[in-house]
Amino acid sequence: MLSNTCKYGIRAVIYLAVNQIEGKKIGIKKISEELTLPAPFLGKILQMLAKKKMLASTKGPNGGFSLAKDAEDITLFDIVEAIDGTDVFEQCMIGLKICEDDKSKEEKCPFHEKSSVVRTKFYNAFKQQTVKDFSTGIKNADEILTF
Amino acid sequence: MLSNTCKYGIRAVIYLAVNQIEGKKIGIKKISEELTLPAPFLGKILQMLAKKKMLASTKGPNGGFSLAKDAEDITLFDIVEAIDGTDVFEQCMIGLKICEDDKSKEEKCPFHEKSSVVRTKFYNAFKQQTVKDFSTGIKNADEILTF
DNA sequence: AAAATTTCGTACAATATTGTCTTAAATATA
DNA sequence: TATATTTAAGACAATATTGTACGAAATTTT
Ligand code: FES
Ligand code: FES
């Protein structure tokens, strides 16, 4: 479904939203320990997101990462788009030829209608769910975010 | 979403259903040429499906593969299960900790309800769609199955 | 029975994904 | 200014996925 890289990114961004303190940054080491995932790899992922202006980073002591915008303005879709791209929302789920909704019905496969309904719901779920939904909804973040 | 291996498998099984002739087999070479995918790799995939009794195979001249049961008794789910396994239908879409529906609501994440609705629809779509639906619904199989 | 065809099974190879390491750059503190 | 800390960047390494090659086994045709 989503790559591990992307899942790590999602967990990290949620972690930042849940634990953010106005004006402070959180370091890679801290995040990677809490989420029990490899620090250097996490670094790369967060760098990606920083480049896309979803996160802000500062170097040096007390440096680290923080959300670059309001948690309510970051959706799951945004994170997936930044890391895995949008293929998962667009491509044919079963790998058949062109799977586009704007084709005449004759050209579509028998699975097409059901398939596109599911894919739309999938897309909407990711587009609607903001990071803020997690930070307000999660009490025991550790239980949910860690492994 | 699904592995390439699995998508190849789905296309091949649909191809077999569309082109099957009572009592005849279709060879790997023929299938791989029509679907423009690597013959040796396709062989492996079809062997997997043969082992799971979804396909029947015979060696020698005029040998090849055929469906081992009625097309209406093979669902997309069955093919995915045989090749990729059922993780895609069961695991948390965003990689959070245990994502099981039978937990008390307090333990679930804020995305859980939406997520499991989508996943159920995804599951149902694959579980309901049979290979026969494709063989009856596809007129121009080449256009849809090939690249 | 011999030869030809085609799957089966395993081992091998290429590529993509995932993960690690090292050095440089930036920032804070002493 | 010097030192410690921490991200940035890119090279490197391990693993998983995808793809190939080849000999063996089975079946048909000659
Ligand atoms: S071509 Fe993708 S579902 Fe029809
Ligand atoms: S834990 Fe998977 S959606 Fe809630």
Side-chain angles (χ1 to χ4, degrees):
Chain A
M1 189 76 86
L2 303 178
S3 68
N4 285 334
T5 308
C6 190
K7 290 177 182 174
Y8 293 169
I10 289 172
R11 282 167 61 207
V13 172
I14 293 174
Y15 179 89
L16 284 171
V18 170
N19 297 97
Q20 71 181 338
I21 298 169
E22 182 62 27
K24 293 216 170 185
K25 306 280 184 183
I26 305 179
I28 288 176
K29 193 187 289 181
K30 170 87 171 162
I31 303 172
S32 66
E33 278 169 6
E34 297 263 357
L35 302 186
T36 58
L37 50 87
F41 194 43
L42 175 64
K44 267 191 171 174
I45 299 168
L46 297 187
Q47 280 164 35
M48 270 195 260
L49 297 177
K51 242 182 224 164
K52 307 238 177 185
K53 310 292 182 193
M54 183 178 297
L55 302 182
S57 70
T58 57
K59 299 176 179 178
N62 305 317
F65 292 87
S66 64
L67 300 185
K69 16 182 188 172
D70 288 349
E72 59 193 335
D73 293 330
I74 302 176
T75 66
L76 287 181
F77 174 84
D78 295 331
I79 306 173
V80 174
E81 183 184 34
I83 299 177
D84 275 357
T86 58
D87 279 4
V88 70
F89 300 112
E90 292 166 359
Q91 282 186 356
C92 178
M93 294 197 296
I94 57 174
L96 299 191
K97 216 183 170 179
I98 312 129
C99 191
E100 290 160 14
D101 287 321
D102 50 53
K103 288 241 170 159
S104 73
K105 191 160 187 200
E106 281 66 43
E107 285 175 304
K108 294 182 190 170
C109 86
F111 187 47
H112 217 92
E113 270 193 48
K114 276 187 215 160
S115 157
S116 63
V117 167
V118 170
R119 210 167 45 184
T120 301
K121 291 195 185 306
F122 178 58
Y123 172 83
N124 287 340
F126 275 68
K127 197 82 181 178
Q128 285 162 12
Q129 193 78 12
T130 73
V131 171
K132 174 150 194 179
D133 295 331
F134 286 96
S135 61
T136 59
I138 291 182
K139 276 123 194 106
N140 48 352
D142 282 3
E143 290 236 346
I144 285 172
L145 292 179
T146 67
F147 287 85
Chain B
M1 189 77 84
L2 304 178
S3 69
N4 284 334
T5 307
C6 190
K7 290 177 182 175
Y8 293 170
I10 290 171
R11 282 166 62 206
V13 172
I14 293 173
Y15 179 89
L16 283 171
V18 170
N19 296 97
Q20 70 180 339
I21 298 170
E22 182 62 26
K24 292 217 171 182
K25 307 280 183 184
I26 306 179
I28 289 175
K29 193 188 290 180
K30 169 88 171 163
I31 302 172
S32 65
E33 278 169 5
E34 296 263 357
L35 302 186
T36 57
L37 50 86
F41 194 43
L42 176 64
K44 266 190 170 175
I45 300 169
L46 298 187
Q47 280 165 34
M48 271 196 259
L49 297 177
K51 241 181 224 163
K52 309 239 177 185
K53 311 291 182 193
M54 183 179 296
L55 302 182
S57 70
T58 57
K59 299 176 180 178
N62 305 318
F65 293 87
S66 64
L67 300 185
K69 15 182 187 172
D70 286 350
E72 59 193 336
D73 293 330
I74 303 175
T75 67
L76 287 181
F77 174 85
D78 295 331
I79 306 173
V80 174
E81 183 185 36
I83 298 177
D84 276 356
T86 58
D87 279 3
V88 70
F89 300 111
E90 293 166 359
Q91 282 186 354
C92 178
M93 292 197 298
I94 57 174
L96 299 190
K97 215 185 171 180
I98 312 129
C99 190
E100 290 161 13
D101 287 321
D102 52 52
K103 288 239 170 163
S104 73
K105 189 159 189 201
E106 282 66 41
E107 286 176 301
K108 293 182 192 171
C109 87
F111 186 48
H112 217 91
E113 271 193 47
K114 275 186 214 161
S115 158
S116 63
V117 168
V118 170
R119 210 166 45 182
T120 300
K121 290 196 187 304
F122 177 58
Y123 172 84
N124 287 340
F126 275 68
K127 197 80 181 180
Q128 285 164 12
Q129 193 78 11
T130 72
V131 172
K132 174 150 194 180
D133 294 331
F134 286 95
S135 61
T136 58
I138 291 182
K139 275 122 193 110
N140 47 350
D142 281 2
E143 290 236 346
I144 284 172
L145 293 177
T146 66
F147 289 86

